[in-house]
Amino acid sequence: MGDRFSEGLAAAWPICLGYFPIGLSLGVLAQKGGLVPWQIGLMSVLVFAGGSQFIAVAMLGSGASFPAIVTTTFMVNLRHLLMSSALSVHCTGIRKRLLLLFAYGVTDESFGVNMARFTAGEWDIQRALVLNQAANLTWIVSTVCGGYLGQFIPAGALGIDYALTAMFVCLLVFQLRSRIFVFTALIAAFCSVCAYLWLPGNAYVIVASCVAASAGFVMKRLFGETGGTT
């Protein structure tokens, strides 16, 4: 068990190293959005999905309704359904409670590391669980620390008010791996602007997400997996 724990931690530390500054940023932004540290920590415990938490913080700051926030984050997190399905073939014969704990910790980064190691045949559920929970703990601690740190940073200082926009621009750029992704992003932008002009509240976020995701799916089926590289 000791070796498995050590190997799980050894595989987790690069992820933890990346999570910490991003978690700090989220904590600072959430504090500026009106959340206190325990609320930020609770959000990280219950959601544990960086992209969705950034979106939720932005929507809270703009006064979005609770159903709109939940629906939007649910749509963004639907990819976890596919990731968990792919991992499930390596988790046969495992107790349900252990499986639930493992599924709770699945993120893009932990999925990538665990899947590669499961496929190589050098991994098991215990090591994967250590990796997931180490990343989870790092995320929770860093976001709470960010919440406390944000109290000492004046609003608008250090360009912190632009950090959220920069974060999403960065996430978008990393996703533009082919022409299909570029067209999907353009459709999302177009639909978002049109829906914003015609629909009340924050419904434009949900409408644009659904239309763009559906359009991307159709293009992928029609033109293949990649649609050509950018």
Side-chain angles (χ1 to χ4, degrees):
M1 184 62 191
D3 290 341
R4 288 173 173 168
F5 185 80
S6 301
E7 291 174 17
L9 283 182
W13 79 262
I15 297 176
C16 298
L17 201 62
Y19 275 6
F20 199 79
I22 299 174
L24 277 178
S25 303
L26 173 64
V28 172
L29 290 170
Q31 193 275 333
K32 298 304 175 194
L35 299 182
V36 296
W38 73 265
Q39 292 173 325
I40 298 169
L42 184 61
M43 177 193 281
S44 295
V45 169
L46 296 178
V47 182
F48 187 34
S52 297
Q53 288 182 248
F54 274 101
I55 291 172
V57 167
M59 294 182 75
L60 282 171
S62 63
S65 65
F66 181 73
I69 295 173
V70 171
T71 304
T72 303
T73 53
F74 177 77
M75 295 295 293
V76 171
N77 283 336
L78 269 179
R79 69 189 187 284
H80 288 230
L81 183 65
L82 300 177
M83 292 192 290
S84 298
S85 299
L87 286 169
S88 66
V89 299
H90 301 286
C91 301
T92 55
I94 298 172
R95 288 179 298 170
K96 288 184 178 178
R97 291 182 181 179
L98 194 63
L99 198 58
L100 285 172
L101 186 60
F102 174 66
Y104 162 72
V106 173
T107 63
D108 298 311
E109 296 76 18
S110 66
F111 168 78
V113 175
N114 281 327
M115 196 65 187
R117 298 196 176 220
F118 273 131
T119 304
E122 59 183 29
W123 213 233
D124 56 33
I125 188 66
Q126 285 80 12
R127 294 178 175 88
L129 193 59
V130 171
L131 184 151
N132 283 9
Q133 297 312 312
N136 186 14
L137 181 61
T138 302
W139 180 255
I140 294 169
V141 171
S142 61
T143 54
V144 173
C145 288
Y148 283 108
L149 182 64
Q151 300 175 13
F152 304 100
I153 301 176
L158 308 175
I160 200 71
D161 53 337
Y162 183 68
L164 190 60
T165 304
M167 174 75 182
F168 283 116
V169 170
C170 183
L171 290 174
L172 173 63
V173 170
F174 282 130
Q175 292 298 318
L176 300 179
R177 299 190 297 269
S178 70
R179 293 189 182 93
I180 287 179
F181 289 87
V182 174
F183 286 132
T184 303
L186 291 173
I187 291 171
F190 177 77
C191 292
S192 180
V193 172
C194 292
Y196 178 79
L197 295 174
W198 291 98
L199 297 177
N202 296 93
Y204 70 95
V205 177
I206 300 172
V207 170
S209 301
C210 293
V211 172
S214 301
F217 175 76
V218 171
M219 285 191 290
K220 202 167 185 177
R221 293 295 298 269
L222 290 177
F223 304 112
E225 289 296 314
T226 62
T229 56
T230 55

